[in-house]
């Protein structure tokens, strides 16, 4: 039992996810890295296991579980060692589809949520633009009402699942006069909406089996009933889900840390050097031991924040700290793990080489470290 | 029919086992534990028989420390109906387990008991056979195929020379081999539902069994480390070494 907060069902979930990843992900994912996407059948198998609707109502096939279950799930995805796989799945479950569940009306839930939980329809969330990321208030994509439709114009950038998703949750400005955060609305856009195009698939440093796109909306017409939540109030629902996004990314990062340390302990135990093995060297073993200590400490913090969210206790400051901490820590861990792999760590056939590339995004995506620290500092100075 | 499935909590198959520093056994503190993989196959088979309408009830039992409840819950999440834990902190040998199973079988009157052919911790491969003998039931061990007919089971067994088929009268004991099936993943909604399924706890005394070990462990040691190899000059030297040093030919 890793934490006082976990119950039996969390451990069982952990075991099942770990087994799935061991059997269905790790052996197959190198090919997905080449192809640039996770096969849809894999996501459907995860849907069958109930992993794509952990927190969603059981009426739609979900499991009504809480944030701690999500934490376990994201950690185990992270442990796969394939950041692109984790990103594909976790964007669908915890960054895109929550917009529907939080703000969707009965008709919208009936139409989309079942297929989303079964993995038949994969989702993406399109907020970031070439000139607006963490600063959501700076969005330029416009949506204007025309009779029974909305017409969207603009472009979105760095959209995970952007190439192959079926349903997109898109933020656009509905009131051009309103300044900053107000005047933004969320919309449901299906992949075949007229005027919606995938501009290009973006080539990334890591996360190679995750598809990332620039999206273009050129007089993209969607039915008016695809407005998600209230008009002009979209910013608040975006903000609401940011907490969960940060929790999930921290959990994923720590899963990666655990895996990175595991493969590195293994490597230094076997690698011969100077008449012994690398793990005989105190300089090496102690640095790994300290990293392991820091990862364990961060894990306990993660579980605590998961519990705060489970109890519905306001924790913006905590979750921002956690995201900043883990996004940086995973990079430190991977740097050192690669260092101790020596030349092998620079070769693409070693697991750690990929994990180093996959880790880099953690201090950037889903709220850069600097942005997270401002969330913390603002509150410390209050 | 009613099926009883005994399951054992063992060190997870992915864990590299380590011998305790004092040589008294294998380290299990802070080690990941899970259901014996052969027992998982037994649970899967029982649940499939239930899904086919052949069985009405699948009762999962385990023996050992209170954490064995987790193992039972996993089996319930796979589709078992209810569980029984015989709770004890004692070390359990196959004969004690077989005797307790006898007590449970007399209480529950199952038509079939299906369990793993062995557990991956001690690899004893005895419990199923001992239990069958105590009950005076037929046994189909190392099953790679199980076919229930009217009042009997046809079991295809994996044996050294190939496969053997035996027909057993019910009630009977079946022990599972790897090829019998591939166990399913427990789905999260079922994990949540399994929390509410009935799980009773008994003690060995309730079944009238004395679990005192009959064997004494003298010492547990790691296998000797593999020695580095050497290069030989030619075939003659190789044959010579195989004959005179390794003494294998």
């Amino acid at each position: 039992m890793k934490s006082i907060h976990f119950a039996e069902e969390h451990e069982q979930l952990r075991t099942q996810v770990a087994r799935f990843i061991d059997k269905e992900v790790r052996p197959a994912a190198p090919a997905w890295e080449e192809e640039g996407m996770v096969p849809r059948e894999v996501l459907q198998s995860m849907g069958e296991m109930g992993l794509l609707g952990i927190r969603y109502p059981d009426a739609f096939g979900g499991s009504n579980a809480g944030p701690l279950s999500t934490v376990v799930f994201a950690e185990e995805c992270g442990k796969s060692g394939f950041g692109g796989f984790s990103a594909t799945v976790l964007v669908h479950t915890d960054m895109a589809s929550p917009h529907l569940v939080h703000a969707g009306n009965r008709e919208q839930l009936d139409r989309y949520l079942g297929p989303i939980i079964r993995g038949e329809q994969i989702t993406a969330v399109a907020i970031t633009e070439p000139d607006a990321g963490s600063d959501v208030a700076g969005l330029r994509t416009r949506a204007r009402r025309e009779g029974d439709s909305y017409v969207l114009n603009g472009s979105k950038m760095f959209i995970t699942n952007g190439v192959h998703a079926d349903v997109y949750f898109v933020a656009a400005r509905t009131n051009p006069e309103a300044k900053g955060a107000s005047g933004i609305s969320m919309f449901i856009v299906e992949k075949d909406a007229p005027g919606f195009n995938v501009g290009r698939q973006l080539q990334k440093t890591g996360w190679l089996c995750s598809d990332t796109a620039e999206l273009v909306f050129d007089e993209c017409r969607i039915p008016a009933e695809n407005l998600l939540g209230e008009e002009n109030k979209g910013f608040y629902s975006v903000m609401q889900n940011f907490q969960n996004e940060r929790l999930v990314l921290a959990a994923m990062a720590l899963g990666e840390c655990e895996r990175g340390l595991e493969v590195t302990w293994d490597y230094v135990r076997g690698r011969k050097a100077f008449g012994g093995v690398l793990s005989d060297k105190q300089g090496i073993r102690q640095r790994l031991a300290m990293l392991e200590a820091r990862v364990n400490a961060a894990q306990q913090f993660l579980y605590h924040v998961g519990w705060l969210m489970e109890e519905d206790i306001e924790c913006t400051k905590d979750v921002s700290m956690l995201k900043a901490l883990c996004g940086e820590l995973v990079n430190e861990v991977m740097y050192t793990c690669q260092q101790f792999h020596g030349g092998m760590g620079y070769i693409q056939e070693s697991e750690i080489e990929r994990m180093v590339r996959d880790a880099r995004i953690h201090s950037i995506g889903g709220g850069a470290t600097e942005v997270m620290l401002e969330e913390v500092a603002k509150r410390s100075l209050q | 029919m009613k099926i009883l499935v005994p399951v054992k909590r063992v060190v997870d198959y992915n864990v590299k086992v380590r011998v305790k520093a004092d040589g008294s056994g294998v380290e299990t503190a802070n080690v990941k534990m899970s259901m014996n993989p052969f027992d998982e196959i037994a649970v899967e088979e029982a649940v499939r028989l239930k899904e086919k309408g052949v069985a009405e009830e699948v009762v999962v039992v385990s023996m050992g420390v209170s954490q064995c409840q987790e193992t039972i819950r996993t089996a319930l999440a796979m589709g078992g109906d209810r569980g029984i834990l015989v709770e004890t902190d004692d070390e359990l040998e196959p004969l004690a387990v077989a005797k307790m199973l006898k007590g449970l079988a007399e209480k529950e009157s199952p038509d079939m008991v299906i369990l793993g052919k062995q557990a991956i911790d001690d690899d004893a491969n005895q419990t199923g056979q001992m239990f069958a003998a105590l009950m005076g039931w037929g046994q189909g061990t190392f099953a790679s195929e199980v076919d229930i007919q009217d009042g009997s089971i046809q079991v295809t067994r994996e044996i050294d020379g190939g496969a053997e088929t035996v027909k057993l009268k019910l009630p009977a004991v079946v022990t599972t081999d790897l090829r019998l099936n591939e166990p399913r993943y427990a789905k999260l909604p079922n994990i949540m539902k399994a929390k509410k399924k009935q799980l009773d706890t008994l003690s060995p005394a309730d079944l009238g069994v004395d679990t005192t070990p009959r064997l004494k462990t003298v010492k547990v040691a790691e296998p000797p480390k593999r020695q580095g190899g050497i290069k030989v000059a030619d075939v003659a030297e190789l044959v010579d070494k195989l004959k005179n040093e390794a003494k294998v030919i």
Side-chain angles (χ1 to χ4, degrees), chain A residues 265 268 277-292 340:
Chain A
W265 278 121
V268 297
V277 284
L278 281 184
S279 61
D280 295 337
K281 313 281 173 231
Q282 288 185 330
I284 285 175
R285 60 205 274 170
Q286 291 191 6
R287 268 175 71 194
L288 286 175
M290 183 50 102
L291 282 175
E292 194 174 323
F340 292 164

Side-chain angles (χ1 to χ4, degrees), chain A residues 201-360:
Chain A
Q201 174 153 7
L202 302 167
Q203 305 299 320
K204 304 181 295 301
T205 299
W207 280 14
L208 297 187
C209 63
S210 155
D211 52 299
T212 310
E214 179 181 6
L215 307 177
V216 179
F217 301 86
D218 179 12
E219 290 290 294
C220 169
R221 187 173 292 270
I222 56 170
E225 67 252 31
N226 282 19
L227 171 70
L228 194 53
E230 277 181 73
E231 200 179 60
N232 296 329
K233 297 272 172 68
F235 179 78
Y236 305 100
S237 75
V238 170
M239 283 319 206
Q240 191 192 348
N241 197 53
F242 271 176
Q243 309 305 323
N244 182 58
E245 230 177 277
R246 289 163 188 171
L247 178 79
V248 166
L249 287 167
M252 173 181 159
L254 290 178
E256 291 175 19
C257 288
E258 215 180 310
R259 178 73 182 173
L261 286 170
E262 189 183 306
V263 298
T264 307
W265 278 121
D266 254 13
Y267 184 81
V268 297
R269 201 180 291 136
R271 166 73 190 189
K272 291 198 169 51
F274 306 108
V277 284
L278 281 184
S279 61
D280 295 337
K281 313 281 173 231
Q282 288 185 330
I284 285 175
R285 60 205 274 170
Q286 291 191 6
R287 268 175 71 194
L288 286 175
M290 183 50 102
L291 282 175
E292 194 174 323
R294 290 169 63 196
V295 170
N296 280 10
Q299 278 173 335
Q300 292 306 316
F301 185 24
L302 166 72
Y303 304 149
H304 171 68
V305 176
W307 174 78
L308 289 174
M309 285 180 69
E310 189 111 12
E311 297 294 308
D312 235 343
I313 298 168
E314 210 293 316
C315 58
T316 309
K317 185 178 176 182
D318 309 71
V319 82
S320 306
M321 278 180 179
L322 177 73
K323 166 68 174 66
L325 181 77
C326 298
E328 296 296 319
L329 180 57
V330 67
N331 278 287
E332 276 186 66
V333 167
M334 292 309 162
Y335 182 92
T336 304
C337 287
Q338 186 179 36
Q339 182 71 22
F340 292 164
H341 271 72
M344 199 58 206
Y346 200 61
I347 305 298
Q348 286 186 8
E349 68 198 56
S350 76
E351 189 172 350
I352 207 71
E353 186 273 342
R354 181 187 62 249
M355 293 186 72
V356 170
R357 284 186 287 108
D358 286 351
R360 189 61 190 88

Side-chain angles (χ1 to χ4, degrees), chain B residues 73 76-77 79-82 190 193-199:
Chain B
R73 291 268 179 226
L76 298 182
D81 294 297
R82 63 185 168 90
N190 296 344
K193 281 178 207 144
K195 287 197 290 184
K196 297 189 189 88
K197 289 185 179 174
Q198 185 188 341
L199 203 170

Side-chain angles (χ1 to χ4, degrees), chain A residues 64-102:
Chain A
N64 279 330
L68 282 167
S69 299
T70 302
V71 163
V72 167
F73 178 57
E75 273 192 297
E76 292 304 316
C77 286
K79 276 196 230 166
S80 70
F82 287 87
F85 161 75
S86 309
T88 303
V89 173
L90 296 171
V91 163
H92 174 66
T93 56
D94 283 276
M95 296 171 214
S97 61
H99 289 279
L100 174 74
V101 176
H102 292 150

